[in-house]
């Protein structure tokens, strides 16, 4: 062992060099989210749970049953049940199902919608115990996901 190596061990030079690197981080302000008690803030462009928008005046859904959202979905999890009206020759929405369990939240369905009827909201809390609860129909999508607040 050389004299230099001996002095490095005696004066703990390696320890002090390591502490010089990591030491300043010990005095920074700690940032901890108190998640269940305080809701987390998500960015404005966050894609969360889907929602079907309704007309505030009439209360009817804005969906015109064009099926563009289902065609734009790369996974094919949207099913639009529609029927052509014989009098008006327009499509009428009979049912709408959305499989949120398989959704990758890419927002392609909302971008394809010509009437802005479908949007991905800011809600990210929709944990369930049964996967069947993530198959949302038209009524559930119009209401939006229900957030369960757990308390002690």
């Amino acid at each position: 062992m050389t004299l230099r190596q001996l002095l490095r061990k005696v004066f703990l030079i390696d320890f002090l060099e390591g502490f010089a690197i990591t030491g300043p981080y010990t005095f920074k302000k700690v940032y901890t989210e108190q998640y269940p008690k305080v809701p987390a803030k998500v960015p404005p462009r966050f894609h969360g749970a889907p929602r079907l928008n309704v007309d505030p005046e009439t209360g009817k859904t804005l969906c015109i049953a064009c099926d563009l959202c289902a065609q734009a979905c790369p996974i094919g999890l949207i099913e639009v049940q529609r029927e052509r009206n014989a009098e008006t020759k327009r499509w009428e929405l009979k049912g709408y199902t959305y499989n949120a369990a398989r959704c990758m939240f890419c927002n392609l369905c909302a971008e394809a919608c010509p009437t802005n009827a479908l949007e991905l909201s800011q809600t990210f809390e929709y944990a369930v115990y049964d996967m069947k609860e993530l198959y949302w129909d038209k009524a559930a999508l119009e209401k939006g996901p229900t957030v369960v607040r757990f308390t002690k």
Side-chain angles (χ1 to χ4, degrees), residues 2-83:
T2 65
L3 181 63
R4 180 183 169 134
Q5 291 174 341
L6 181 65
L7 290 175
R8 283 183 72 87
K9 283 189 177 186
V10 170
F11 292 113
L12 303 172
I13 300 299
D14 292 334
F15 172 76
L16 295 174
E17 286 176 352
F19 189 72
I21 293 171
T22 59
Y25 291 103
T26 60
F27 302 112
K28 289 194 177 198
K29 183 180 178 185
V30 176
Y31 178 76
T32 304
E33 286 191 21
Q34 304 298 321
Y35 168 62
K37 295 177 183 172
V38 179
K41 295 177 184 160
V42 294
R45 294 180 58 181
F46 175 77
H47 300 149
R51 179 177 57 229
L52 270 177
N53 293 326
V54 294
D55 188 7
E57 296 172 1
T58 63
K60 292 185 178 182
T61 182
L62 294 175
C63 182
I64 58 173
C66 64
D67 201 34
L68 289 176
C69 57
Q71 293 174 12
C73 181
I75 304 175
L77 54 89
I78 300 173
E79 294 178 13
V80 178
Q81 294 87 28
R82 59 187 184 165
E83 188 176 281

Side-chain angles (χ1 to χ4, degrees), residues 49-50 96-100 126 133-138 140-141 145:
Y96 195 98
T97 57
Y98 193 100
N99 183 357
Y126 48 94
E133 294 179 34
L134 292 175
Y135 288 94
W136 295 333
D137 61 348
K138 180 183 162 193
L141 285 167

